[in-house]
Amino acid sequence: MPQLTTSAANPVTAAYASGYLEKLSALLKQLEPRSIEAVGALLHRARAEGRQVFLLGNGGSAALASHIAVDLGKGCSRGRAKRFRVLALTDNTPWLTALANDLSYDEVFSEQLACHAQAGDVVIAISGSGNSKNVLKALELANRTIYTWNVERERDPATLERAGTAAIPARTSSPAASARSRARSAAASRSCCAAPRSTTSSTSTSRSRAAR
């Protein structure tokens, strides 16, 4: 991979930008088209069936969750006979902070899902570490209630794999990369009935008995 060279006068040099874009291009080439297709099929089905789509994440991943909700709710819905029913669990600040303050930050997403999620709904969880307790707790609940699918690979994929059933791996190769830069992962959950879990992970699904 190219070195990201900078200068004291301007850290963002043309050489730095070129190296960054090369690294990004190499990372994108690692993505598995078939897994991406499978995620698209899951979302297409959710829209067609009128299922709710939930998104969640922490920090920058929370911003991504909100952004994806906008893309699905506007760009992928306007002018169509079927629209996405989509909600980012990162956006209700009073509820999120009440849960964090009164219960635990580990439960800020799972408690919201417990109120909203029904069999057949979809959950997309985004994480840069793969170990975020509130993300894993939400996916554990999703596996009991809905179908789980991880979309981008985590720094510690094995942790998130146990919460889901399929994957789109995308890792950086630098050994010094931080938890945020070594990989990102998203997981989507869909209510279904005990589908066997795949050994690859980044997208997972599992339907509750109620969905039958």
Side-chain angles (χ1 to χ4, degrees), residues 1-8 10-20 23:
M1 299 292 277
Q3 294 296 314
L4 302 184
T5 57
T6 65
S7 75
N10 179 9
V12 186
T13 62
Y16 179 92
S18 178
Y20 179 87
K23 291 184 70 173

Side-chain angles (χ1 to χ4, degrees), residues 31-212:
L31 298 179
E32 299 171 359
R34 290 183 181 276
S35 295
I36 296 171
E37 179 183 3
V39 175
L42 178 66
L43 288 172
H44 179 74
R45 180 178 172 185
R47 180 175 60 184
E49 296 178 355
R51 305 296 186 181
Q52 183 75 48
V53 178
F54 301 100
L55 296 110
L56 57 94
N58 297 289
S61 298
L64 288 174
S66 296
H67 191 167
I68 294 170
V70 171
D71 287 343
L72 294 177
K74 177 180 175 289
C76 297
S77 293
R78 188 172 182 275
R80 297 175 182 269
K82 291 283 189 176
R83 290 173 174 253
F84 274 108
R85 298 177 60 242
V86 58
L87 179 66
L89 302 184
T90 53
D91 290 346
N92 191 327
T93 304
W95 194 359
L96 191 145
T97 54
L99 293 170
N101 186 67
D102 300 342
L103 300 177
S104 165
Y105 192 68
D106 294 351
E107 300 181 64
V108 296
F109 300 131
S110 59
E111 280 293 306
Q112 292 186 69
L113 282 178
C115 291
H116 286 303
Q118 297 182 4
D121 289 347
V122 174
V123 173
I124 299 176
I126 308 169
S127 173
S129 69
N131 295 310
S132 300
K133 291 182 179 179
N134 54 6
V135 170
L136 295 174
K137 195 173 184 72
L139 294 182
E140 288 170 5
L141 183 145
N143 272 329
R144 295 196 302 270
T145 312
I146 57 187
Y147 197 55
T148 308
W149 204 336
N150 308 322
V151 179
E152 296 171 80
R153 179 78 76 159
E154 297 277 343
R155 180 178 67 88
D156 181 7
T159 302
L160 198 63
E161 283 174 15
R162 288 192 290 270
T165 60
I168 302 175
R171 302 191 191 191
T172 62
S173 59
S174 170
S178 67
R180 288 175 298 175
S181 64
R182 286 191 58 183
R184 300 196 71 79
S185 180
S189 302
R190 167 155 195 159
S191 292
C192 98
C193 83
R197 294 185 180 176
S198 161
T199 54
T200 61
S201 178
S202 234
T203 326
S204 74
T205 46
S206 130
R207 181 171 281 169
S208 72
R209 296 184 186 279
R212 275 188 164 180

